[in-house]
Amino acid sequence: MEIWINPACSKCRSALHLLDAEGAEYTVRRYLEDVPGEDEIRAVLDRLGLEPWDITRTQEAAAEELGVKEWARDAGSRERWIAALAAHPKLIQRPLITADDGTAVIGRTEEAVRDALSRR
């Protein structure tokens, strides 16, 4: 499994602590440094079963500057959202865990991280 983290994020650190406590094998991706491209974001969205607006941190300064709260949330606007996430990775919800079974979860709670662990 892989976990996308921002080391400054307390939810990310909590998720890593739980993964370590459970003896999970995982790869850390500091996604602000190793920025995912649009194709990777599309693939993760497919694994999550979500749309880009579902994983966008709308309270971030970049989101306010872009005005994403006002953007349409429909199929015609999907690529605009994906491009914004690739250009401004801070907007991507974290931590994001890709499970070995091909799915993914946003690991903001202990329950979500345990869900990812159950998919090993």
Side-chain angles (χ1 to χ4, degrees):
M1 77 177 50
E2 182 176 77
I3 181 169
W4 294 9
I5 68 157
N6 173 351
C9 169
S10 63
K11 301 271 187 203
C12 293
R13 291 190 306 270
S14 294
L16 290 172
H17 179 74
L18 181 55
L19 291 174
D20 288 341
E22 294 295 325
E25 291 184 26
Y26 61 91
T27 302
V28 170
R29 179 174 187 170
R30 293 178 179 219
Y31 72 95
L32 298 179
E33 298 163 16
D34 182 8
V35 179
E38 292 181 22
D39 287 341
E40 284 181 284
I41 292 169
R42 281 185 206 93
V44 163
L45 288 168
D46 288 346
R47 292 175 80 161
L48 288 165
L50 296 174
E51 293 297 337
W53 46 86
D54 296 325
I55 67 164
T56 300
R57 298 172 53 86
T58 59
Q59 301 303 318
E60 291 288 334
E64 303 243 346
E65 289 170 22
L66 293 169
V68 298
K69 286 184 180 179
E70 309 305 319
W71 292 3
R73 296 174 181 219
D74 58 26
S77 301
R78 188 172 199 263
E79 290 305 311
R80 180 183 190 191
W81 285 85
I82 290 170
L85 293 173
H88 305 278
K90 247 188 173 176
L91 297 180
I92 299 171
Q93 192 61 260
R94 61 185 186 252
L96 200 151
I97 304 169
T98 58
D100 293 338
D101 71 351
T103 62
V105 299
I106 296 174
R108 296 192 55 78
T109 64
E110 181 177 330
E111 180 180 82
V113 176
R114 289 195 182 283
D115 182 31
L117 284 166
S118 74
R119 301 175 190 202
R120 304 190 252 184

